[in-house]
Amino acid sequence: MDLPVILVAALSATGTTVDAFFARLAKGAIWQDQAIRSPDGEIVIQAYLAPDGLRAVVQIGNESWYHHPFDTIHAYGLLPSAEAMTTRDVPLAAVLQHPLLAPLQIIARSTVALNSDKPELGVSIAVDVPRITYPFFRDRS
């Protein structure tokens, strides 16, 4: 299974191995009160295995969420400069900074307001996220 590096880094931040994540995923959806959380609550992972592949949401801090497989980050309350809103294909750190994301080779393809009538709500950032392939064996028992 191809996992986005954001998810792999988030699992590491929570102290969860990829194998442990797969074991939980094989048993069913990982939602809400069953979410995987970092000790400081800064990172929260929810996921399920849909018929067409993995679906996951990684909360990064209090106001940002990465959505897989859509490769989109919703950053609520983020008000980037006008330049950032028109810049394309730049390192993600030019638009959004967080210690989890800093070492990752992620490119921000574009940034748009979540709601053009209320730009103060934040932005949606389309990102190119590298993937790492791991073997996943679903328990069919």
Side-chain angles (χ1 to χ4, degrees):
M1 179 180 300
D2 289 341
L3 297 182
V5 296
I6 291 176
L7 178 57
V8 175
L11 287 167
S12 178
T14 66
T16 305
T17 66
V18 171
D19 287 341
F21 172 69
F22 283 163
R24 285 196 55 195
L25 197 58
K27 293 177 184 176
I30 304 168
W31 287 137
Q32 298 175 349
D33 61 336
Q34 300 301 314
I36 299 169
R37 299 174 192 281
S38 63
D40 62 4
E42 184 80 6
I43 306 298
V44 180
I45 302 166
Q46 299 183 65
Y48 77 102
L49 196 55
D52 59 344
L54 178 67
R55 300 281 186 257
V57 176
V58 178
Q59 181 178 345
I60 304 163
N62 290 326
E63 303 295 329
S64 298
W65 285 262
Y66 166 71
H67 300 269
H68 173 75
F70 306 108
D71 282 345
T72 302
I73 295 175
H74 291 165
Y76 294 91
L78 179 66
L79 299 173
S81 66
E83 179 183 357
M85 294 293 282
T86 59
T87 303
R88 302 284 185 263
D89 302 320
V90 298
L92 180 59
V95 181
L96 177 67
Q97 296 179 357
H98 188 278
L100 178 82
L101 303 172
L104 306 177
Q105 300 294 317
I106 298 172
I107 300 297
R109 290 186 293 124
S110 63
T111 303
V112 298
L114 286 167
N115 181 327
S116 60
D117 292 334
K118 295 182 180 182
E120 68 276 8
L121 289 178
V123 297
S124 177
I125 307 164
V127 290
D128 282 330
V129 181
R131 305 280 196 271
I132 302 171
T133 302
Y134 294 91
F136 177 79
F137 302 100
R138 186 187 294 240
D139 182 2
R140 300 208 185 265
S141 57

